[in-house]
Amino acid sequence: MPEDREPQEAPETVDGAEMEEAARRLGPRNPVLRFLSQNRGVTALLAVVILGALFTPQRGVNGPYLVNVITGHAEPLRDSDGAWNPPRFLTTKIHSDVLYEYAEYGLLAVGMTLVILTAGIDLSVGSVLGIAAVTFAYLLIARGTPPAVAIAGAAGMGTLCGLINGFLVSKLHLQPFVATLAMMVAARGGAKVISGGYKIQAGGADWYWVQGDLPEFMTWMVSPSYGGFLRPVTLLFIVSLLVMVVVVKYTRFGRYLYAVGGNEEAARLSGVPVTGTKILAYSLCGFFAGLAGFCNACRTGLGNPEAGTTFELDAIAAVVIGGTSLAGGRGAMILTLLGALIVGYIDKALSVNNVDVAYRLLAKGLIIVIAVVIQSRRRTN
Amino acid sequence: MSQAPLLQMRQIDKWFGGVHAVSHVDFDVRAGEIHALIGENGAGKSTLVRILSGAIQADAGEIVFDGRKLHMRGPKDAEAAGIAMIHQELSLCPNMSVAENIFLGSEPLGPMRTVSWRRLRADAESYLRHLDTPIDVTRAVEEYGIATQQMVEVAKVLSRNAKLIVMDEPTSALTDTEAQRLFEIIRALKAEGVAIVYISHKMEEIYELADRVTVMRDSHWIGTAEASDLAPGQLIEWMVGRKIETLFPKRSVELGEELLRVEDAVLRANDGTDRLLVDHASLSLRAGEILGLGGLRGAGNSELLGLLFGQFSHADVEVCLRGERVRIGRPSDALAQRIALLTNDRKTTGLVLSMSVLHNMTLASLKRMGPTPLVVPREEVRAALPLRQRLSVKTASLDIEVSALSGGNQQKVALAKWLMTEPDVLLLDEPTRGIDVGAKAEIYELMNELASQGKGILLITSELPELVEMSDRILVFHRGRITKELRGEEMTQQNVMAAAMSGASSHA
Ligand SMILES: Nc1ncnc2c1ncn2[C@@H]1O[C@H](COP(=O)(O)OP(=O)(O)OP(=O)(O)O)[C@@H](O)[C@H]1O
Ligand SMILES: [Mg+2]
């Protein structure tokens, strides 16, 4: 039998070899590489954009750029008259388009992130978008109120729906899934009640008093301004997101979201106003769905009671792909932006290559799985 | 002297990111021995045994068990080899029944290879009776407190018929009586030839139980010796690398004015029975006083602390605080009155495990940090650093998730959270749970310091020496009532036990 060994001294100071080993295990030493290895969302987004640049067609040519280069069908990067003709992913227009097309999903995802951080879910955002879009169109087109009033109406309607959700979840202790499922159905009904089941549009259904022309304001919201790159709708999305990044990271409310989602009981015992935090989270989620509804009405030029159907799934997908945990308590608002952009860019890359919508849906499903697998592997390490 | 040890772990090495948790450790265990594994918080004990149980994989090293080299890919492999483990952070499924938990993964099967519920229940009951814990095994685990859950874990391990059982701080949530029962079982297992690896920070337990002791420090193996050859002073020196003169620092504090008076506090059970968990308890706490609250589990002392903090949504209490009457119905009321409660279960009520060390520490103090709704990271760090230093919280950074800390260090974070609120009345329920000797002494020092600043402390602890040494006075609870007050010379472990067991009568 081995004799008991004498005590040895643990090295008092960590020696050089040990330090080196520790540094090695923390990842690449090069700061850029280290940043990329620690921020996989950014890396994924970069990869998507670079791949997009290689695989989108040039103006006047069909097929992915890289394939055309290999087969010798690519046009020169500069036209005969000296104008640039890069693959479409290297034009500003495409980026402005992606941001514009994802603005509505993005707004929904911003609110959804707040709710998911509290370990909740909001299935009603798509329907709330619908009821807000209809409210906005009703006020602006059918009633002829000033745009500001119509926007307030849409946002107010969304906030009200969110407030009810929050109340059901935090006061009546309904499961978020159930409470917001009920709201999803009810808000869709509400949208149809307001609109009478019709699309509210200029020169539309005759039982409304409807203006003859599309209000200028709605067209302005979706036409490129600010140097031809940004549309007001896009700007609304980006500003909302940036504001919420700050709110989540640098306010007590933001911190409380994580605490409530991570361990509600411990949060309560630390003096966190659990009920208030949840109500505010759901209300804000409704508010952003209201804004998204207003954007939707402007984009489509009408108030469609069916608008936003299944949008809640896209919003949840953006949050999850970003890496915010559905179990609550882990994640960040900025990750949601990454998630939304990753989906948006991949979708765009496929669509400019004329890939059929059906295949794009298949691709989206695949991305969700891959993203979540990557996230969960990182967590277990 | 002849046969090889039952277990040999050779050159085990494990990194977590840039943290070296276990570095080239050799560890062996003989059949039928009780082998204590001890060391400071964060020394790597739990990591070493989690490798042994297959919960995590080592980066390097080999494990030879019962003459065979083990290739561990998961807990199943360890279990198949005959190794069972009680984890430091309990790992039961809270919403499943006690019986289901005990047999999770090895349910007794009936003739059709379906689960035999009758046997499942009967077997579970018999294991728990064996442990003096006769509870309803069909109820969900989450309905029971942490001590009962600990016993369920023990029953689960017993049901596996293992050759080696690892227990990572099994008594940290148990009272003395419960612990004694567990020791009897451990000795019975040993007599049957089962080897036990026993991790604990309680010195008396180690000398009571262990045949051999292995000490770890800073991820390294420090030494292994027969327990009988190792004097306590020597052991502590191996552990902390220096001598600790007195564990319980002496102090003399002038008691001040009455700080808190509780009159006829009542807490009813919320289960429809209207049983009185706290039955007209009255006490008075003076500034500078450390008042110990003794009693068995469920005697009402923990419940009283919860009540005073507004923990229970179905009950509130009116107390006299600094001479004024205040009503406390919610934790935020208590916080506003500068009352703080360290609960006895850091995992479910103490910490938000998914948040960082820093954010846990400041969670209860955010409101006090400034009038605006903004949080200022710089301020937070400034508030946290002194506490990290004072409590020697071992963490690579303040920004890592608190779940990545060792158990004892998590406990320190929970304590730091409440100290940061600068309370006048500190309600401490098992403050040193899972904390190593060195840090314990530091925490006692800190309690004395707070007392000398005129704060009042209500202290509950299942470690009788701690209760007796730290308290100025002890109130003993029995079935919800305060049945005994012990002062001065009367404050002995025997008297506390006697009063706790039998109510008022025993001690004249
Ligand atoms: N999942 C993890 N991720 C990162 N670091 C970890 C993880 N688990 C443990 N560590 C680190 O490894 C070291 C050893 O931890 P371990 O839990 O083994 O300590 P311990 O000896 O059991 O301490 P205690 O007495 O407090 O329970 C600590 O520094 C801890 O922070
Ligand atoms: Mg441990």
Side-chain angles (χ1 to χ4, degrees), chain A residues 115 120-125 127-128 161-162 164-166 168-169 174-187 282 285:
Chain A
V115 168
I121 191 93
D122 189 347
L123 298 180
S124 70
V125 290
S127 296
V128 173
C161 294
I164 295 172
N165 281 333
L168 293 177
V169 168
L174 259 59
Q175 283 187 2
F177 194 97
V178 179
T180 60
L181 185 66
M183 177 57 73
M184 170 178 171
V185 178
Y282 282 91
C285 185

Coordinates of all heavy atoms in Angstrom, one line a residue, chain A residues 115 120-125 127-128 161-162 164-166 168-169 174-187 282 285:
Chain A
V115 N -39.3 40.9 -22.8 CA -40.2 39.9 -22.2 C -39.4 38.6 -22.0 O -39.6 38.0 -20.9 CB -41.4 39.8 -23.1 CG1 -42.2 38.6 -22.6 CG2 -42.3 41.0 -23.0
G120 N -40.3 35.2 -19.8 CA -41.7 35.2 -20.4 C -41.6 35.0 -21.9 O -40.6 34.7 -22.5
I121 N -42.8 35.2 -22.5 CA -42.9 35.1 -24.0 C -44.1 36.0 -24.4 O -45.0 36.1 -23.6 CB -43.0 33.7 -24.5 CG1 -42.8 33.6 -26.0 CG2 -44.3 33.1 -24.1 CD1 -41.4 33.3 -26.4
D122 N -44.1 36.6 -25.5 CA -45.2 37.3 -26.0 C -45.7 36.9 -27.3 O -45.0 37.3 -28.3 CB -45.0 38.8 -25.9 CG -46.3 39.6 -26.2 OD1 -47.3 39.0 -26.6 OD2 -46.2 40.9 -25.9
L123 N -46.7 36.1 -27.4 CA -47.1 35.5 -28.7 C -48.1 36.5 -29.4 O -48.4 36.3 -30.5 CB -47.9 34.2 -28.5 CG -47.1 33.1 -27.9 CD1 -48.0 31.9 -27.7 CD2 -45.9 32.8 -28.8
S124 N -48.4 37.6 -28.7 CA -49.5 38.5 -29.3 C -48.9 39.6 -30.2 O -49.7 40.3 -30.8 CB -50.3 39.1 -28.1 OG -49.5 40.0 -27.4
V125 N -47.6 39.7 -30.3 CA -47.1 40.9 -30.9 C -47.5 41.0 -32.4 O -47.8 42.1 -32.9 CB -45.5 41.0 -30.8 CG1 -45.1 41.3 -29.4 CG2 -44.9 39.7 -31.4
S127 N -50.4 40.1 -33.7 CA -51.8 40.6 -33.7 C -51.8 42.0 -33.2 O -52.6 42.8 -33.8 CB -52.7 39.7 -32.8 OG -52.7 38.4 -33.2
V128 N -51.0 42.3 -32.3 CA -51.0 43.7 -31.8 C -50.5 44.6 -32.9 O -51.0 45.7 -33.0 CB -50.1 43.8 -30.5 CG1 -50.0 45.3 -30.1 CG2 -50.7 43.0 -29.4
C161 N -52.6 46.9 -25.0 CA -52.5 45.4 -25.1 C -51.4 44.8 -24.2 O -51.6 43.8 -23.5 CB -52.3 45.0 -26.6 SG -53.7 45.4 -27.7
G162 N -50.3 45.4 -24.3 CA -49.1 44.9 -23.5 C -49.4 45.0 -22.0 O -49.1 44.1 -21.2
I164 N -52.3 44.9 -20.6 CA -53.2 43.8 -20.2 C -52.4 42.5 -20.1 O -52.6 41.7 -19.1 CB -54.3 43.7 -21.2 CG1 -55.2 44.9 -21.2 CG2 -55.2 42.4 -21.0 CD1 -56.2 45.0 -22.3
N165 N -51.5 42.2 -21.0 CA -50.7 41.0 -20.9 C -49.9 41.0 -19.6 O -49.9 40.0 -18.9 CB -49.6 41.0 -22.0 CG -50.2 40.5 -23.3 OD1 -51.2 39.7 -23.3 ND2 -49.7 40.9 -24.5
G166 N -49.3 42.1 -19.3 CA -48.5 42.2 -18.1 C -49.3 42.0 -16.8 O -48.9 41.3 -15.9
L168 N -52.2 40.3 -16.7 CA -52.5 38.8 -16.6 C -51.4 38.0 -16.1 O -51.6 37.1 -15.3 CB -52.9 38.3 -18.0 CG -54.2 38.9 -18.6 CD1 -54.4 38.4 -20.0 CD2 -55.4 38.6 -17.7
V169 N -50.2 38.3 -16.5 CA -49.0 37.5 -16.1 C -48.6 37.7 -14.7 O -48.4 36.8 -13.9 CB -47.8 37.7 -17.1 CG1 -46.6 37.1 -16.6 CG2 -48.2 37.2 -18.5
L174 N -51.1 34.2 -14.7 CA -51.3 33.3 -15.8 C -49.9 33.0 -16.5 O -49.0 33.8 -16.4 CB -52.2 34.0 -16.9 CG -53.6 33.6 -17.0 CD1 -54.3 33.8 -15.7 CD2 -54.3 34.3 -18.1
Q175 N -49.8 31.8 -17.0 CA -48.5 31.6 -17.7 C -48.4 32.5 -18.9 O -49.4 32.7 -19.6 CB -48.5 30.1 -18.2 CG -48.2 29.2 -17.1 CD -47.9 27.8 -17.5 OE1 -48.0 27.5 -18.7 NE2 -47.7 26.9 -16.6
P176 N -47.2 33.1 -19.2 CA -47.1 34.0 -20.3 C -47.6 33.5 -21.6 O -48.2 34.1 -22.4 CB -45.6 34.3 -20.3 CG -45.1 34.0 -18.9 CD -46.0 32.9 -18.4
F177 N -47.3 32.2 -21.8 CA -47.7 31.6 -23.1 C -49.2 31.7 -23.2 O -49.7 32.0 -24.3 CB -47.3 30.1 -23.1 CG -47.3 29.4 -24.4 CD1 -46.2 29.3 -25.2 CD2 -48.5 28.9 -24.9 CE1 -46.3 28.7 -26.4 CE2 -48.6 28.3 -26.1 CZ -47.4 28.2 -26.9
V178 N -49.9 31.3 -22.2 CA -51.4 31.3 -22.2 C -52.0 32.7 -22.3 O -52.8 33.0 -23.2 CB -52.0 30.6 -21.0 CG1 -53.5 30.6 -21.0 CG2 -51.4 29.2 -20.9
A179 N -51.5 33.6 -21.5 CA -52.0 34.9 -21.4 C -51.9 35.6 -22.8 O -52.8 36.2 -23.3 CB -51.3 35.8 -20.4
T180 N -50.7 35.5 -23.4 CA -50.4 36.2 -24.6 C -51.0 35.5 -25.8 O -51.3 36.1 -26.8 CB -48.9 36.4 -24.9 OG1 -48.3 35.2 -24.9 CG2 -48.3 37.3 -23.7
L181 N -51.3 34.2 -25.7 CA -52.0 33.4 -26.7 C -53.4 34.0 -26.8 O -54.0 34.3 -27.9 CB -52.1 32.0 -26.4 CG -52.7 31.0 -27.4 CD1 -51.9 31.0 -28.7 CD2 -52.8 29.6 -26.9
A182 N -54.0 34.2 -25.6 CA -55.4 34.8 -25.6 C -55.4 36.2 -26.2 O -56.2 36.5 -27.0 CB -55.9 34.9 -24.1
M183 N -54.3 37.0 -25.9 CA -54.2 38.3 -26.5 C -54.0 38.2 -28.0 O -54.5 39.1 -28.7 CB -53.1 39.1 -25.8 CG -52.9 40.5 -26.4 SD -54.3 41.5 -26.3 CE -54.4 41.9 -24.5
M184 N -53.3 37.2 -28.4 CA -53.0 37.1 -29.8 C -54.4 36.9 -30.6 O -54.6 37.5 -31.6 CB -52.2 35.8 -30.0 CG -52.0 35.4 -31.4 SD -50.9 33.9 -31.4 CE -51.0 33.4 -33.1
V185 N -55.2 36.1 -30.0 CA -56.5 35.9 -30.7 C -57.4 37.1 -30.5 O -58.0 37.6 -31.5 CB -57.2 34.7 -30.0 CG1 -58.6 34.5 -30.6 CG2 -56.4 33.4 -30.2
A186 N -57.4 37.7 -29.3 CA -58.3 38.8 -29.1 C -57.9 40.0 -29.9 O -58.8 40.7 -30.4 CB -58.3 39.1 -27.6
A187 N -56.6 40.3 -29.9 CA -56.2 41.5 -30.6 C -56.5 41.4 -32.1 O -56.9 42.4 -32.8 CB -54.7 41.8 -30.4
Y282 N -43.9 43.9 -20.4 CA -44.9 43.6 -21.4 C -45.5 44.8 -22.0 O -45.9 44.8 -23.2 CB -46.0 42.8 -20.7 CG -45.7 41.3 -20.5 CD1 -45.0 40.9 -19.4 CD2 -45.9 40.4 -21.5 CE1 -44.7 39.6 -19.2 CE2 -45.5 39.0 -21.4 CZ -44.9 38.6 -20.2 OH -44.5 37.3 -20.0
C285 N -43.2 46.0 -24.6 CA -43.3 45.1 -25.8 C -44.5 45.4 -26.6 O -44.4 45.5 -27.8 CB -43.4 43.6 -25.2 SG -43.4 42.4 -26.5

